[in-house]
Amino acid sequence: MSTETTPEHDQLTRRRLPFWVALALSVATVGPTLAMSGNGQGLIATVGKALPLVFVIGLVGVALVGYSFVRLTRHLNHAGSAYALVGGTVGPRTGFFSGFAMLGAYVGFSIGTLALTAAFTNAFIAQLQAGSDHPYQLPWLVPVVIGAAVSFLLAGRDVRLLAKILLAIEGIGILAMVILVIVIFARGGAPSTGVDFSVFSFSGGVSPSAVLSGVVAAFLSWAGFEACASMGEETDNPGRNIPRALGGTLILTGVLFVVVMFAQVIGFGTDEAGLAAFQGSGNTLGDLGSTYIGQWFSLLIIFTATVAAFGCHMATAATSGRMLYAFGRDGFGPRSLAHIHPSTGGPRRATWLVVGLALVVDLVCGLAGWPDMGTGNPAIDTYFLFAVAGSVCLMVCYLLVEIAAAWFVGAPKFVAVHGGHGKVAGLVLPLLGAVVIAVVLWFNVKDAQTWTAAPLLGVYWCLVGLVIALAASGIAKRVGQSLTAELQLPGAP
């Protein structure tokens, strides 16, 4: 008998992982500490002090998406996440397209957060040299190479261990953010402008168009809340625990992000000088921590953000690996990607591929001196390029998930699955979410000034996926049959 791995062995271990593991993966993929440390600077130039308003609108949009994920994962769970949720409802070609878009998003995030880890590492080194006009900084590719090496070693390891580490890291970061917010509010914000509630309005000459175009970056902060959906085949009672993990992640991060972003804007000050300081900060939480509490607190929060950025890189690489595994298992890629490592129970080969790609892309960017996003920091420039491009891919995927949720509720053949409960909300909320996402995408794409603009890179990736989905009719049929069996749906989609 051949010693090659058989298809029966190329299955994720049914390990019955508890609720908190799924929650930890989603929270770690969102990365609250790194999101609040590095996602606001790129928006100041376009939205000014209205940054908290952007996050309020973003929260509404992502909550509508979250409703659709919750609605679907109560009944459908699969390692392919949106790939299966859309493919098992609307159809295999649409499912492939959504999965391809989501894969582009997570690979982009894995590339970007590896670069951001390097940027935060240098911010930590600079803070150790507080008072120096020219602090020593490592070439940013050095931390990238070291981080990739560690990521290779940890790839495919027991997800329980990874979840424990990431949950502990984010717990420290969230606690530090809460302390910083309390101190900023207690001191009344920046002396020059104080607590300015006009940040939640269109005052100061900020146009609604500019705010809507900035919402895609706000979505970036929540990107990954649905990562636990890829754990559906490994989690205990997934129809209950995956929706709980999704909802818990959104509630926790939704309140946190709006409040923390408000505190940061008033902490720097809403005048021209304060906004300029915000925009030029290498780590906003670290700089505010130094100003309002002390250097020791700044070091703590920058270190936490650095580790969180690396944790987000590992989490997005792990999620991407599971999606590549699902593609390979169902015929949308090399069969070798569907291999499960016997000792770890995870798709290590697929995860290694993602980590290797992240390393190569960051090295190419660093050696070529590209991109230039205007921050003055090449590592942060690389992060913003791939993070924004990935966010566009993710919003395309979210758009299809909204359509899938409405389809699932409205299509007669699925009534036996969901029982027909909550049909009005199940149709209206996903369709409203689809409109919000379509409007935000339009305002981002129409304002792109060059063919290499970050939003357009995301569009290009999605167009490639669309061409493949339309051309691969034979594979699509096989995948449809596979999804029907795996999800136990009533008939082929």
Side-chain angles (χ1 to χ4, degrees):
M1 179 181 292
S2 172
T3 58
E4 294 293 323
T5 304
T6 64
E8 288 74 14
H9 294 153
D10 288 339
Q11 300 290 328
L12 287 171
T13 306
R14 303 280 176 166
R15 288 175 285 184
R16 303 274 77 86
L17 298 175
F19 158 75
W20 69 265
V21 175
L23 177 66
L25 182 65
S26 277
V27 172
T29 307
V30 171
T33 313
L34 77 90
M36 292 294 95
S37 296
N39 283 357
Q41 297 93 317
L43 287 174
I44 293 296
T46 55
V47 304
K49 67 178 183 179
L51 189 58
L53 175 62
V54 171
F55 274 78
V56 170
I57 297 173
L59 176 57
V60 172
V62 80
L64 291 170
V65 176
Y67 172 83
S68 295
F69 268 98
V70 168
R71 184 90 189 205
L72 289 170
T73 55
R74 285 175 181 169
H75 309 281
L76 314 175
N77 281 284
H78 188 274
S81 187
Y83 157 49
L85 298 180
V86 177
T89 51
V90 181
R93 290 187 185 182
T94 311
F96 170 78
F97 177 54
S98 66
F100 195 85
M102 179 171 272
L103 178 63
Y106 281 117
V107 171
F109 297 152
S110 186
I111 295 168
T113 51
L114 185 58
L116 190 64
T117 301
F120 284 175
T121 298
N122 271 331
F124 182 80
I125 293 173
Q127 189 61 37
L128 287 173
Q129 306 166 72
S132 172
D133 293 332
H134 302 286
Y136 173 75
Q137 298 280 267
L138 288 170
W140 73 275
L141 291 181
V142 172
V144 162
V145 172
I146 295 173
V150 175
S151 192
F152 271 116
L153 290 174
L154 297 178
R157 298 289 179 179
D158 186 357
V159 72
R160 284 176 181 263
L161 176 61
L162 178 62
K164 288 179 181 179
I165 295 171
L166 296 179
L167 192 60
I169 292 167
E170 287 301 340
I172 295 172
I174 290 171
L175 178 61
M177 281 191 283
V178 171
I179 293 172
L180 179 58
V181 166
I182 292 173
V183 173
I184 291 174
F185 285 156
R187 293 180 57 178
S192 57
T193 54
V195 179
D196 184 0
F197 286 100
S198 69
V199 298
F200 292 104
S201 69
F202 291 101
S203 62
V206 178
S207 68
S209 175
V211 170
L212 286 173
S213 67
V215 170
V216 74
F219 264 82
L220 166 62
S221 296
W222 278 285
F225 81 90
E226 78 295 333
C228 63
S230 69
M231 301 288 294
E233 297 181 34
E234 303 166 82
T235 302
D236 181 43
N237 192 2
R240 178 172 180 264
N241 286 328
I242 295 299
R244 287 175 61 205
L246 289 165
T249 301
L250 282 180
I251 292 171
L252 171 65
T253 58
V255 175
L256 184 71
F257 285 0
V258 173
V259 173
V260 171
M261 198 55 71
F262 174 48
Q264 288 193 96
V265 172
I266 66 171
F268 278 105
T270 56
D271 55 4
E272 186 176 345
L275 294 177
F278 193 126
Q279 184 178 16
S281 173
N283 185 299
T284 54
L285 292 177
D287 287 345
L288 288 171
S290 179
T291 300
Y292 283 86
I293 298 179
Q295 184 188 10
W296 68 270
F297 188 84
S298 177
L299 288 170
L300 170 65
I301 206 163
I302 294 176
F303 176 78
T304 303
T306 304
V307 180
F310 182 66
C312 187
H313 159 72
M314 289 194 299
T316 50
T319 304
S320 301
R322 277 172 166 74
M323 295 194 69
L324 286 174
Y325 157 80
F327 279 172
R329 182 179 66 181
D330 293 338
F332 273 139
R335 181 67 192 175
S336 60
L337 293 178
H339 174 75
I340 297 299
H341 193 267
S343 64
T344 65
R348 191 166 69 173
R349 290 179 186 173
T351 307
W352 274 351
L353 177 61
V354 178
V355 175
L357 180 61
L359 173 61
V360 170
V361 171
D362 281 343
L363 288 175
V364 170
C365 289
L367 296 175
W370 179 84
D372 182 3
M373 302 290 287
T375 69
N377 186 319
I380 294 182
D381 282 346
T382 302
Y383 165 69
F384 272 122
L385 179 78
F386 289 100
V388 172
S391 294
V392 170
C393 292
L394 195 61
M395 292 186 74
V396 170
C397 178
Y398 286 167
L399 177 62
L400 292 169
V401 170
E402 298 284 50
I403 295 171
W407 194 294
F408 181 71
V409 172
K413 69 177 180 178
F414 292 121
V415 172
V417 180
H418 60 73
H421 301 296
K423 189 169 184 177
V424 174
L427 288 172
V428 173
L429 293 180
L431 293 177
L432 179 60
V435 171
V436 172
I437 292 173
V439 170
V440 171
L441 281 172
W442 166 249
F443 276 101
N444 275 271
V445 173
K446 81 177 185 67
D447 292 334
Q449 298 179 351
T450 66
W451 69 272
T452 57
L456 291 183
L457 294 181
V459 172
Y460 301 152
W461 175 271
C462 292
L463 288 176
V464 171
L466 180 61
V467 170
I468 297 173
L470 293 175
S473 57
I475 297 177
K477 182 178 179 180
R478 292 200 304 272
V479 172
Q481 295 170 343
S482 175
L483 288 174
T484 298
E486 291 160 6
L487 294 170
Q488 298 181 340
L489 294 175

